[in-house]
Amino acid sequence: MSRLVIVSNRVSVPEAAGKVTAGGLAVALRAAFQSHQGLWFGWSGKVTAHPASQARMVDKGNIRYVLMDLTSLDRQEYYYGFANRALWPTMHYRVGLSDFSRTDYAGYLRVNRTFAQALVKLVSPRDLVWVHDYHLIPLAAELRPLGLSNLIGYFHHIPWPAPEVLGTLPGSTDLLRAIMDFNLVGVQTERDADNLRRALTQELGAVAQRTDVLSASGKSTCVKSFPIGIDASDFEKVAARARSHRIVSQTIAELGSRKLIIGVDRLDYSKGIPQRMEAYERFLLNNPDQRGRVTYLQIAPTSRSEVPEYETLSRVVNETLGRINGALSEPGWVPIQYGTSAYPRSLLASLYRLARVALVTPMRDGMNLVAKEYVAAQDPLHPGVLILSKFAGAAQQLMGALIVNPNDKLEVAEAIRDALQMSEPERIARWQSMIEVVRNRDVAWWASAFLKELAAQQSGPRGGSEQMDPA
Ligand code: ADQ
């Protein structure tokens, strides 16, 4: 069997990740290694004045972790700058927040080139190379001129926006050209795949060879959707275990007969946290009998706090929270409880199971694993209700959720009311339809479907003659 080489912005070595970090990517990528030996290459998370051009290696189990350090300028330009201040907002349709800088873009390309130069020495001819996420879109285009003709796949974890939106970002046509150097490009939903195919056709004049395969300038690439999943059976098991954690017992004691509404998200403007708090406020204003009968717990670990837009978001969330709690609290009851800690999976699973309603209302989201975790954590005899944004990739799969437009606070408020009033038979029927998808399309399915499709692509310098662009 061919070796697997995974490349992602951050590499999470099991011991180094001893403390809990928010993010399902590490779990997902470890699933990919279950059936392959291989390498996991990327940034160590460390910044040094003079990083070595050779990577550091750590062997654990069947994985060799290969770690690169960055300079502080690299981190500023590549990571905080182009990836997180230009690409992230544009890909999430927040064009107004996108801040393009030519210097940051040059830094982004420089880090991709440095990674390619270090990586090329480590790849053997039959290895499958799988690159992850928007930090590394140019990586295959940097690897090809160094002579790497292996099959290279790319998975895009965040939304791929409509061509008109992507087109607002300077450099986006170059990124599309770079996409053509991957043999397979995986996205979360059919909508994302359609957006990317349209962009390749409109901007590069790519021609469809087969339904999913597009060719341009002698290169061809396959664009397909592979909705990412979670380790459903493990999550179900963890959630069903006794609730021994102090925070869980305290939550149960404090709730009494109140119903729990839960939100769990990285503190990111794409997640719609202030808008969600205001929708909950609208629910309380429209249903005064519910005051004191529900508690909304929002867990939102801080992320990317060095990026100015995230600092602003943190302030807005705190102001919104303070205003709502100040206006609506009563003796013995606070409407919204808010925490920013990262929690172990088992604790999150127990809290999901306690919650009658989950509010997963991002303004845009590639998939949203919290929605799937919430479904997997439910008690099959007394499941809760998922309220899910139509703009999360998960909404394409979880039809049993109450699907809402997060921009419409009244609609979300009414969904909260309906969820709290929903009969048990309806909750069970909706949950059963969702758990089936969560189990059948789990993370192992996702990794193996992608890798199977990658291995089925044609290798060689860039496709055989039948895939070449006739033009
Ligand atoms: P994220 O934007 O990080 O991922 P999401 O898919 O919801 O969003 O994953 C978040 C993960 O972090 C979940 O596994 C959740 O349990 C965990 N998490 C959240 N809060 C936590 C806390 N307080 N403590 C511990 N863990 C916490 C990106 C894309 C998504 C896409 C994923 C995977 O933005 O759209 O679903 O990648 O492809």
Side-chain angles (χ1 to χ4, degrees):
M1 179 176 293
S2 40
R3 233 173 34 140
L4 176 61
V5 175
I6 285 192
V7 190
S8 65
N9 167 54
R10 282 295 296 274
V11 172
S12 124
V13 184
E15 267 176 20
K19 65 179 171 76
V20 189
T21 53
L25 191 64
V27 175
L29 299 191
R30 288 215 180 87
F33 282 115
Q34 264 165 17
S35 52
H36 289 78
Q37 285 251 318
L39 294 183
W40 184 349
F41 179 101
W43 179 28
S44 60
K46 289 198 183 121
V47 165
T48 53
H50 304 288
S53 60
Q54 303 286 345
R56 211 156 20 93
M57 310 213 187
V58 181
D59 287 327
K60 288 256 149 78
N62 62 341
I63 308 176
R64 168 164 289 184
Y65 297 89
V66 185
L67 304 158
M68 298 285 289
D69 297 340
L70 295 181
T71 65
S72 89
L73 191 68
D74 288 340
R75 179 176 61 178
Q76 190 53 44
E77 294 174 351
Y78 149 82
Y79 180 69
Y80 292 134
F82 189 70
N84 284 322
R85 291 198 74 194
L87 269 180
W88 176 274
T90 305
M91 295 272 180
H92 286 86
Y93 288 75
R94 298 295 292 271
V95 170
L97 289 183
S98 184
D99 189 8
F100 174 80
S101 130
R102 219 159 270 286
T103 327
D104 288 347
Y105 184 47
Y108 175 79
L109 295 175
R110 180 180 69 245
V111 170
N112 271 272
R113 179 161 303 167
T114 309
F115 277 14
Q117 285 162 347
L119 181 63
V120 76
K121 300 176 194 145
L122 306 170
V123 180
S124 313
R126 293 190 56 239
D127 291 351
L128 285 177
V129 181
W130 190 4
V131 178
H132 287 264
D133 234 357
Y134 58 102
H135 315 86
L136 300 170
I137 295 174
L139 195 72
E142 295 293 345
L143 286 166
R144 298 296 183 200
L146 302 176
L148 204 87
S149 59
N150 296 50
L151 288 170
I152 311 181
Y154 169 73
F155 189 79
H156 189 73
H157 290 260
I158 65 176
W160 196 285
E164 298 73 17
V165 174
L166 184 70
T168 60
L169 181 69
S172 59
T173 309
D174 291 340
L175 294 177
L176 289 168
R177 276 192 206 102
I179 278 284
M180 295 301 301
D181 275 299
F182 292 105
N183 299 86
L184 174 64
V185 177
V187 289
Q188 302 275 22
T189 66
E190 212 23 64
R191 183 167 49 197
D192 298 318
D194 181 57
N195 285 339
L196 174 52
R197 288 188 206 117
R198 284 195 296 132
L200 293 171
T201 310
Q202 290 169 17
E203 299 297 320
L204 306 186
V207 177
Q209 299 292 302
R210 298 197 311 264
T211 334
D212 303 321
V213 178
L214 290 149
S215 297
S217 313
K219 298 172 183 175
S220 55
T221 191
C222 176
V223 177
K224 266 190 131 151
S225 65
F226 299 87
I228 195 168
I230 59 164
D231 186 345
S233 70
D234 182 60
F235 216 88
E236 284 185 66
K237 266 187 238 138
V238 171
R241 264 186 225 139
R243 304 149 174 181
S244 55
H245 200 284
R246 177 185 57 83
I247 293 182
V248 179
S249 354
Q250 259 172 18
T251 310
I252 295 173
E254 279 165 24
L255 276 175
S257 61
R258 278 181 203 127
K259 289 178 183 157
L260 178 65
I261 300 174
I262 198 166
V264 175
D265 316 74
R266 273 187 312 102
L267 187 56
D268 193 295
Y269 50 79
S270 65
K271 305 291 182 183
I273 297 169
Q275 294 86 342
R276 183 185 309 167
M277 287 179 168
E278 284 175 353
Y280 172 71
E281 176 187 31
R282 167 80 14 233
F283 158 76
L284 292 175
L285 292 172
N286 289 2
N287 301 274
D289 61 310
Q290 290 297 310
R291 295 188 199 175
R293 296 198 173 165
V294 290
T295 294
Y296 163 29
L297 169 62
Q298 176 64 52
I299 304 171
T302 328
S303 89
R304 303 176 197 163
S305 42
E306 294 80 354
V307 177
E309 290 74 23
Y310 289 74
E311 247 178 45
T312 309
L313 172 70
S314 176
R315 208 181 48 244
V316 171
V317 167
N318 283 315
E319 282 168 8
T320 311
L321 172 76
R323 183 180 61 69
I324 297 172
N325 278 347
L328 297 174
S329 286
E330 291 168 3
W333 176 66
V334 180
I336 309 179
Q337 294 201 355
Y338 183 66
T340 58
S341 307
Y343 287 160
R345 265 158 70 77
S346 56
L347 174 52
L348 274 187
S350 301
L351 292 173
Y352 288 140
R353 195 174 177 99
L354 272 184
R356 169 58 72 87
V357 178
L359 276 175
V360 182
T361 54
M363 311 314 278
R364 285 279 163 187
D365 218 331
M367 176 54 59
N368 194 297
L369 296 179
V370 169
K372 294 185 173 182
E373 290 168 357
Y374 177 74
V375 171
Q378 296 310 295
D379 176 348
L381 299 176
H382 309 286
V385 181
L386 174 64
I387 297 179
L388 181 59
S389 162
K390 65 195 278 196
F391 301 119
Q396 308 288 312
Q397 290 182 295
L398 303 179
M399 309 296 182
L402 296 181
I403 307 285
V404 293
N405 179 345
N407 298 297
D408 186 342
K409 294 188 182 109
L410 180 60
E411 188 185 328
V412 178
E414 289 177 347
I416 297 174
R417 182 202 58 208
D418 294 349
L420 291 167
Q421 289 175 353
M422 193 180 286
S423 70
E424 194 143 87
E426 181 173 353
R427 282 189 277 128
I428 292 175
R430 285 175 176 274
W431 175 78
Q432 281 174 343
S433 80
M434 295 191 282
I435 191 69
E436 205 176 308
V437 181
V438 171
R439 283 179 187 147
N440 291 341
R441 292 284 183 260
D442 68 356
V443 70
W445 170 86
W446 168 78
S448 85
F450 185 94
L451 289 171
K452 203 168 143 201
E453 187 69 48
L454 178 59
Q457 302 301 310
Q458 234 174 348
S459 60
R462 285 304 291 124
S465 55
E466 89 193 57
Q467 286 195 340
M468 299 294 262
D469 184 352

